[in-house]
Amino acid sequence: MDKEARVAGGGSSNGMGWWVHWLSPHHYAKICPNVENIVREAVRKKFQQTFVTAPATIRLFFHDCFVHGCDGSILVASRGKNRAEKDHPDNLSLAGDGFDTVMKAKEAVDAVPQCKNNVSCADILALATRDVIALAGGPSYVVELGRYDGLVSKASNVNGRLPQPHFNLNQLNSLFASNGLTQTEMIALSGAHTLGFSHCNKFANRVYNFSPHNATDPTLDQKYASDLKSMCPKDVDPRIAIDMDPTTPRTFDHVYYKNLQQGKGLFTSDQVLFTDHRSKPAVNAFASSSHVFHQNFVAAITKLGRVGIKNAKNGNIRPDCALLD
């Protein structure tokens, strides 16, 4: 194994402070030297089958890292008496294509005898996330590797650890800070909402019953609010999905921030980034420069990937990503 870089890591996802981790882009250089190409090809095939692969995989990575760290615990299936993370109400809307992307990539890696059972599910998810971002037109970047898979996946661990659509800036900052991430990093990572979709019930209050004085959230662009009402009538099927980015929903770009400037953030937690004076300058900076956004996003998602990582003492490499043993 190549000598690995010693890098100061992000905070733990359970508030236990900071640590040093041993991740390196070269972790698999002698264990499974072609791992990145194998994963990239498997992800490309899946992406060609359905675009949902991109937002689904990115969201899976975020939901994994925010609950006790980037350890692949989101991939585990409930079994026996154990109700796993993926079955928590906040995770039920995770699209199956994200899980399938990781499983397909894992199968491809394990088809190589030298690599079989030597590459963690957590690392495959981190690589797949980078690959879908690039396939959707976003930046490619170096992924640090060497994570082990977590030994625990409990739905109860998810409580209070994921950002909610109604969050204000203080709530967002507090949650991201618990993972060692700054306000600017939070705003950059929110740019992942340039892809993907949400269901009507996640934002219906903004267009139908916002407050006693305003049925519609006054920070919403009026035409956008009208469009949302058309797509999400009051008695709509809750499975109806709406694009997070109404302008370029299939491209990973900085238009998300331009949308916020125009009152077209789908969630309260999106629009507040522009309406709150503390976060507005970063939104304006990212809206004005694709390069600045990409630079900040790559730095932030790299830091996110260091949260709560496991090693050989408190993790393992799962032969099956869905099974703890």
Side-chain angles (χ1 to χ4, degrees):
M1 187 186 300
D2 285 9
K3 191 174 180 198
E4 296 180 11
R6 193 169 184 243
V7 190
S12 77
S13 61
N14 55 4
M16 290 173 64
W18 301 81
W19 53 68
V20 171
H21 68 69
W22 296 85
L23 297 180
S24 161
H26 312 295
H27 179 81
Y28 294 107
K30 293 180 181 171
I31 305 168
C32 180
N34 206 26
V35 64
E36 297 208 32
N37 289 331
I38 297 168
V39 171
R40 188 179 292 116
E41 180 57 20
V43 172
R44 187 187 63 78
K45 283 182 185 168
K46 176 70 182 170
F47 180 81
Q48 286 178 333
Q49 291 168 3
T50 172
F51 180 81
V52 177
T53 299
T57 304
I58 298 168
R59 194 156 172 249
L60 202 57
F61 181 67
F62 276 70
H63 282 230
D64 186 38
C65 293
F66 266 69
V67 180
H68 290 307
C70 311
D71 62 357
S73 53
I74 189 66
L75 303 167
V76 174
S78 295
R79 195 179 179 198
K81 292 182 179 178
N82 184 53
R83 187 161 160 260
E85 285 178 27
K86 68 183 290 188
D87 287 325
H88 185 278
D90 285 354
N91 285 329
L92 293 178
S93 62
L94 289 169
D97 288 302
F99 295 93
D100 191 51
T101 300
V102 178
M103 302 307 176
K104 292 278 201 307
K106 171 75 167 167
E107 284 171 17
V109 169
D110 282 352
V112 179
Q114 182 182 358
C115 303
K116 188 174 173 65
N117 296 339
N118 283 325
V119 180
S120 69
C121 303
D123 277 346
I124 289 172
L125 176 54
L127 287 168
T129 300
R130 183 268 311 273
D131 294 338
V132 295
I133 288 169
L135 285 164
S140 190
Y141 52 92
V142 174
V143 176
E144 298 172 339
L145 300 166
R147 299 168 190 79
Y148 279 70
D149 295 322
L151 305 177
V152 174
S153 179
K154 290 187 179 299
S156 57
N157 288 341
V158 179
N159 294 335
R161 296 191 185 277
L162 294 172
Q164 300 298 318
H166 63 267
F167 271 13
N168 61 33
L169 189 65
N170 289 343
Q171 291 169 307
L172 289 168
N173 280 338
S174 174
L175 187 64
F176 278 72
S178 72
N179 290 298
L181 296 160
T182 67
Q183 175 176 284
T184 302
E185 288 162 345
M186 177 272 290
I187 298 165
L189 290 170
S190 296
H193 282 175
T194 180
L195 299 178
F197 51 85
S198 179
H199 298 95
C200 295
N201 63 340
K202 295 292 183 185
F203 57 85
N205 68 303
R206 295 191 70 204
V207 292
Y208 288 117
N209 56 343
F210 182 68
S211 74
H213 307 292
N214 296 95
T216 303
D217 184 341
T219 65
L220 269 174
D221 172 78
Q222 284 188 338
K223 172 150 192 334
Y224 183 49
S226 175
D227 291 344
L228 291 176
K229 283 180 182 177
S230 301
M231 293 184 281
C232 291
K234 282 188 176 179
D235 56 352
V236 72
D237 183 330
R239 292 168 296 184
I240 295 292
I242 305 300
D243 290 326
M244 295 292 297
D245 176 347
T247 314
T248 55
R250 294 168 75 92
T251 308
F252 191 99
D253 56 23
H254 67 141
V255 173
Y256 166 80
Y257 300 100
K258 295 183 179 183
N259 292 336
L260 299 186
Q261 291 174 322
Q262 297 164 22
K264 296 178 183 175
L266 187 62
F267 293 161
T268 299
S269 58
D270 293 312
Q271 196 57 50
V272 74
L273 302 180
F274 183 70
T275 55
D276 194 303
H277 69 92
R278 294 169 293 170
S279 45
K280 188 173 185 175
V283 170
N284 289 337
F286 297 160
S288 65
S289 170
S290 179
H291 175 71
V292 171
F293 164 53
H294 284 177
Q295 220 174 13
N296 278 269
F297 181 85
V298 167
I301 201 166
T302 300
K303 192 170 167 186
L304 175 63
R306 299 169 184 163
V307 172
I309 56 167
K310 308 301 187 289
N311 55 36
K313 292 179 181 175
N314 62 357
N316 63 9
I317 292 177
R318 275 185 232 133
D320 183 334
C321 295
L323 299 178
L324 287 174
D325 46 39

Coordinates of all heavy atoms in Angstrom, one line a residue, residues 77-125:
A77 N -29.8 -3.1 4.9 CA -31.3 -3.5 4.9 C -31.7 -3.9 6.3 O -30.9 -4.4 7.1 CB -31.5 -4.6 3.9
S78 N -32.9 -3.5 6.7 CA -33.5 -4.0 7.9 C -33.5 -5.5 7.9 O -33.8 -6.1 6.9 CB -34.8 -3.4 8.2 OG -34.8 -2.0 8.3
R79 N -33.2 -6.1 9.1 CA -33.2 -7.5 9.2 C -33.5 -8.0 10.6 O -33.0 -7.4 11.6 CB -31.8 -8.0 8.8 CG -31.6 -9.5 8.5 CD -30.2 -9.7 8.1 NE -30.0 -11.1 7.8 CZ -28.8 -11.7 7.8 NH1 -27.7 -10.9 8.0 NH2 -28.6 -13.0 7.5
G80 N -34.4 -8.9 10.7 CA -34.8 -9.4 12.1 C -35.4 -8.3 12.9 O -36.3 -7.6 12.4
K81 N -34.9 -8.0 14.0 CA -35.4 -7.0 14.9 C -34.7 -5.6 14.6 O -35.1 -4.6 15.2 CB -35.2 -7.4 16.4 CG -36.1 -8.5 16.8 CD -35.9 -8.8 18.3 CE -36.8 -10.0 18.7 NZ -36.6 -10.4 20.1
N82 N -33.7 -5.6 13.8 CA -33.0 -4.4 13.5 C -33.6 -3.6 12.4 O -33.7 -4.0 11.3 CB -31.5 -4.6 13.2 CG -30.7 -3.3 13.0 OD1 -30.7 -2.5 13.9 ND2 -30.1 -3.2 11.9
R83 N -34.1 -2.4 12.8 CA -34.7 -1.5 11.8 C -33.5 -0.5 11.4 O -33.1 0.3 12.2 CB -35.9 -0.7 12.4 CG -36.6 0.2 11.4 CD -38.0 0.5 11.9 NE -38.5 1.7 11.3 CZ -38.5 2.9 11.8 NH1 -38.0 3.1 13.0 NH2 -39.1 3.9 11.2
A84 N -33.1 -0.6 10.1 CA -31.9 0.1 9.7 C -32.2 1.5 9.3 O -33.4 1.9 9.1 CB -31.3 -0.7 8.5
E85 N -31.1 2.3 9.1 CA -31.2 3.7 8.8 C -32.2 4.0 7.6 O -32.9 4.9 7.6 CB -29.9 4.3 8.5 CG -29.0 4.5 9.7 CD -27.6 5.1 9.2 OE1 -27.5 5.7 8.2 OE2 -26.6 4.8 10.0
K86 N -32.0 3.2 6.6 CA -32.8 3.4 5.3 C -34.3 3.4 5.6 O -35.1 3.9 4.7 CB -32.4 2.5 4.2 CG -32.8 1.0 4.4 CD -32.3 0.1 3.3 CE -33.0 0.3 2.0 NZ -32.6 -0.7 1.0
D87 N -34.8 2.8 6.7 CA -36.2 2.7 6.9 C -36.7 3.7 7.9 O -37.9 3.7 8.3 CB -36.5 1.3 7.4 CG -36.5 0.3 6.3 OD1 -36.8 0.6 5.2 OD2 -36.1 -0.9 6.5
H88 N -35.8 4.7 8.2 CA -36.3 5.9 9.0 C -37.2 6.7 8.1 O -36.9 6.8 6.9 CB -35.1 6.7 9.5 CG -35.5 7.8 10.4 ND1 -35.9 9.0 9.9 CD2 -35.5 7.9 11.7 CE1 -36.2 9.9 10.9 NE2 -36.0 9.2 12.0
P89 N -38.3 7.4 8.6 CA -39.1 8.2 7.7 C -38.4 9.2 6.8 O -38.8 9.4 5.7 CB -40.1 8.9 8.7 CG -40.1 7.9 9.9 CD -38.8 7.3 10.0
D90 N -37.3 9.8 7.4 CA -36.5 10.8 6.6 C -35.8 10.2 5.4 O -35.3 10.9 4.5 CB -35.5 11.5 7.5 CG -36.2 12.5 8.4 OD1 -37.4 12.7 8.3 OD2 -35.5 13.1 9.3
N91 N -35.7 8.8 5.4 CA -34.9 8.2 4.3 C -35.8 7.4 3.4 O -35.3 6.9 2.4 CB -33.9 7.2 4.9 CG -32.7 8.0 5.5 OD1 -32.3 9.0 5.0 ND2 -32.0 7.4 6.5
L92 N -37.1 7.3 3.6 CA -38.0 6.5 2.8 C -38.1 7.1 1.4 O -38.4 6.4 0.4 CB -39.4 6.4 3.4 CG -39.4 5.6 4.7 CD1 -40.8 5.6 5.3 CD2 -38.9 4.2 4.5
S93 N -37.8 8.4 1.2 CA -37.9 9.0 -0.1 C -36.6 8.9 -0.9 O -36.5 9.4 -2.0 CB -38.3 10.5 0.0 OG -37.3 11.2 0.7
L94 N -35.6 8.2 -0.3 CA -34.3 8.0 -1.1 C -34.6 7.0 -2.3 O -35.2 5.9 -2.1 CB -33.3 7.3 -0.2 CG -32.6 8.2 0.9 CD1 -31.8 7.4 1.9 CD2 -31.8 9.3 0.3
A95 N -34.3 7.5 -3.5 CA -34.7 6.7 -4.7 C -33.8 5.4 -4.7 O -32.6 5.4 -4.5 CB -34.4 7.5 -5.9
G96 N -34.5 4.3 -5.1 CA -33.9 3.0 -5.2 C -32.7 3.0 -6.2 O -31.8 2.2 -6.0
D97 N -32.7 3.9 -7.2 CA -31.6 3.9 -8.1 C -30.2 4.3 -7.5 O -29.2 3.9 -8.0 CB -31.9 5.0 -9.3 CG -33.0 4.4 -10.2 OD1 -32.8 3.3 -10.8 OD2 -34.0 5.1 -10.3
G98 N -30.2 5.0 -6.4 CA -29.0 5.3 -5.7 C -28.4 4.0 -5.1 O -27.2 3.7 -5.3
F99 N -29.2 3.3 -4.4 CA -28.8 2.0 -3.8 C -28.3 1.0 -4.9 O -27.3 0.4 -4.8 CB -29.9 1.3 -3.1 CG -30.4 2.1 -1.9 CD1 -31.4 3.0 -1.9 CD2 -29.8 1.9 -0.6 CE1 -31.9 3.7 -0.8 CE2 -30.2 2.6 0.5 CZ -31.2 3.5 0.4
D100 N -29.1 1.0 -6.0 CA -28.7 0.1 -7.1 C -27.4 0.5 -7.8 O -26.6 -0.4 -8.2 CB -29.8 0.1 -8.2 CG -29.7 -1.0 -9.2 OD1 -29.5 -2.2 -8.8 OD2 -29.7 -0.7 -10.4
T101 N -27.1 1.7 -7.8 CA -25.8 2.2 -8.4 C -24.7 1.6 -7.6 O -23.7 1.1 -8.1 CB -25.8 3.7 -8.4 OG1 -26.8 4.3 -9.2 CG2 -24.4 4.2 -8.9
V102 N -24.8 1.7 -6.3 CA -23.7 1.2 -5.4 C -23.6 -0.3 -5.5 O -22.5 -0.9 -5.6 CB -23.9 1.6 -3.9 CG1 -22.8 1.0 -3.0 CG2 -23.9 3.1 -3.8
M103 N -24.7 -1.0 -5.5 CA -24.7 -2.5 -5.6 C -24.1 -2.9 -7.0 O -23.3 -3.9 -7.0 CB -26.1 -3.0 -5.5 CG -26.9 -2.7 -4.2 SD -25.9 -3.1 -2.7 CE -27.0 -2.4 -1.4
K104 N -24.4 -2.2 -8.0 CA -23.9 -2.6 -9.4 C -22.3 -2.4 -9.4 O -21.6 -3.2 -9.9 CB -24.5 -1.7 -10.5 CG -26.0 -2.1 -10.7 CD -26.2 -3.3 -11.6 CE -27.5 -3.4 -12.3 NZ -28.7 -3.3 -11.4
A105 N -21.9 -1.2 -8.8 CA -20.5 -0.9 -8.8 C -19.7 -1.9 -7.9 O -18.6 -2.4 -8.2 CB -20.3 0.5 -8.2
K106 N -20.4 -2.3 -6.8 CA -19.8 -3.3 -5.9 C -19.6 -4.7 -6.6 O -18.6 -5.3 -6.5 CB -20.7 -3.5 -4.6 CG -20.3 -4.6 -3.7 CD -19.1 -4.3 -2.8 CE -19.0 -5.3 -1.7 NZ -17.6 -5.3 -1.1
E107 N -20.6 -5.0 -7.3 CA -20.6 -6.3 -8.1 C -19.4 -6.3 -9.1 O -18.7 -7.2 -9.2 CB -21.9 -6.5 -8.8 CG -23.0 -7.0 -8.0 CD -24.4 -7.0 -8.7 OE1 -24.3 -6.9 -10.0 OE2 -25.4 -7.0 -8.1
A108 N -19.3 -5.1 -9.8 CA -18.2 -5.0 -10.8 C -16.8 -5.0 -10.1 O -15.9 -5.7 -10.6 CB -18.4 -3.7 -11.5
V109 N -16.7 -4.4 -9.0 CA -15.4 -4.4 -8.2 C -15.1 -5.9 -7.8 O -14.0 -6.4 -8.0 CB -15.4 -3.5 -7.0 CG1 -14.2 -3.7 -6.1 CG2 -15.5 -2.0 -7.5
D110 N -16.1 -6.5 -7.2 CA -15.8 -7.9 -6.7 C -15.7 -8.9 -7.7 O -15.3 -10.1 -7.4 CB -17.0 -8.2 -5.7 CG -16.8 -7.6 -4.3 OD1 -15.7 -7.0 -4.1 OD2 -17.7 -7.6 -3.5
A111 N -16.0 -8.6 -9.0 CA -15.8 -9.5 -10.1 C -14.3 -9.7 -10.4 O -13.9 -10.6 -11.1 CB -16.6 -9.1 -11.3
V112 N -13.5 -8.7 -9.9 CA -12.0 -8.8 -10.1 C -11.4 -9.5 -8.9 O -11.6 -9.0 -7.8 CB -11.4 -7.4 -10.2 CG1 -9.9 -7.5 -10.4 CG2 -12.1 -6.6 -11.4
P113 N -10.9 -10.7 -9.1 CA -10.4 -11.5 -7.9 C -9.5 -10.7 -6.9 O -9.7 -10.9 -5.7 CB -9.6 -12.6 -8.6 CG -10.3 -12.8 -10.0 CD -10.6 -11.4 -10.4
Q114 N -8.6 -9.9 -7.4 CA -7.7 -9.2 -6.6 C -8.5 -8.2 -5.7 O -8.1 -7.9 -4.5 CB -6.7 -8.4 -7.4 CG -5.7 -7.6 -6.6 CD -4.7 -6.8 -7.4 OE1 -4.8 -6.9 -8.7 NE2 -3.8 -6.1 -6.8
C115 N -9.6 -7.7 -6.2 CA -10.4 -6.7 -5.5 C -11.5 -7.2 -4.6 O -12.0 -6.5 -3.7 CB -11.1 -5.7 -6.5 SG -9.9 -5.0 -7.6
K116 N -11.9 -8.5 -4.8 CA -13.1 -9.0 -4.1 C -12.9 -8.9 -2.6 O -12.0 -9.3 -2.0 CB -13.2 -10.5 -4.5 CG -14.5 -11.1 -4.0 CD -14.7 -12.6 -4.6 CE -15.8 -13.3 -3.9 NZ -17.1 -12.7 -4.3
N117 N -14.0 -8.3 -2.0 CA -14.1 -8.1 -0.6 C -12.9 -7.3 0.0 O -12.6 -7.3 1.2 CB -14.1 -9.4 0.2 CG -15.4 -10.2 -0.2 OD1 -16.4 -9.6 -0.6 ND2 -15.4 -11.5 0.0
N118 N -12.3 -6.5 -0.8 CA -11.2 -5.6 -0.4 C -11.5 -4.1 -0.5 O -10.7 -3.3 -0.1 CB -9.9 -5.9 -1.2 CG -9.2 -7.2 -0.7 OD1 -9.3 -7.5 0.5 ND2 -8.6 -7.9 -1.6
V119 N -12.7 -3.8 -1.1 CA -13.0 -2.4 -1.3 C -14.3 -2.1 -0.5 O -15.3 -2.8 -0.7 CB -13.2 -2.0 -2.8 CG1 -13.6 -0.5 -2.9 CG2 -12.0 -2.3 -3.5
S120 N -14.3 -1.1 0.4 CA -15.5 -0.9 1.2 C -16.7 -0.3 0.4 O -16.5 0.4 -0.6 CB -15.1 0.1 2.4 OG -14.9 1.4 1.9
C121 N -17.9 -0.6 0.9 CA -19.1 0.0 0.3 C -19.1 1.5 0.5 O -19.5 2.3 -0.4 CB -20.3 -0.6 1.0 SG -20.4 -2.4 0.9
A122 N -18.5 2.0 1.6 CA -18.5 3.4 1.9 C -17.6 4.1 0.9 O -18.0 5.2 0.4 CB -17.9 3.7 3.3
D123 N -16.5 3.5 0.5 CA -15.6 4.1 -0.6 C -16.3 4.0 -1.9 O -16.2 5.0 -2.8 CB -14.3 3.4 -0.6 CG -13.3 3.9 0.4 OD1 -13.6 5.0 1.0 OD2 -12.3 3.3 0.7
I124 N -17.0 2.9 -2.2 CA -17.7 2.8 -3.5 C -18.7 3.9 -3.6 O -18.9 4.6 -4.7 CB -18.3 1.4 -3.7 CG1 -17.1 0.4 -3.9 CG2 -19.3 1.4 -4.8 CD1 -17.6 -1.0 -3.9
L125 N -19.5 4.2 -2.5 CA -20.5 5.3 -2.6 C -19.8 6.6 -2.8 O -20.3 7.5 -3.5 CB -21.3 5.2 -1.2 CG -22.3 6.4 -1.1 CD1 -23.3 6.4 -2.2 CD2 -23.0 6.2 0.3

